[in-house]
Amino acid sequence: MANAAEAKIRYLDADYQVLSPGTFVKCSVTGKPIPLDELKYWSVKRQEPYVDVEASLKREMEFMKRG
């Protein structure tokens, strides 16, 4: 992702709002870049993006253990 900028996003229930333009966001679990056109998983409550369902589940399990 050379010459790409990280976007700032507000995560909503069924969509997201771009607050600062960019081409990707970083997964909050893995740190991997996620192109905005491939972004499918996020937490509205934690305002975090996830690269895939496994990363989303891992984060959810972490918060359940704290709980």
Side-chain angles (χ1 to χ4, degrees):
M1 299 196 135
N3 298 325
E6 186 171 359
K8 300 291 184 222
I9 303 288
R10 178 184 306 157
Y11 300 97
L12 308 172
D13 284 330
D15 201 1
Y16 57 84
Q17 177 183 18
V18 177
L19 302 175
S20 179
T23 57
F24 73 97
V25 292
K26 287 184 184 174
C27 176
S28 293
V29 175
T30 67
K32 292 180 182 178
I34 309 164
L36 290 187
D37 62 350
E38 296 178 21
L39 179 60
K40 297 180 180 124
Y41 305 98
W42 61 80
S43 168
V44 173
K45 182 178 179 179
R46 292 186 287 277
Q47 291 294 294
E48 296 180 330
Y50 309 112
V51 70
D52 56 26
V53 71
E54 288 83 12
S56 174
L57 181 59
K58 181 177 180 180
R59 180 65 93 210
E60 193 62 34
M61 298 302 284
E62 290 172 359
F63 276 85
M64 287 178 70
K65 287 179 184 177
R66 293 179 189 175

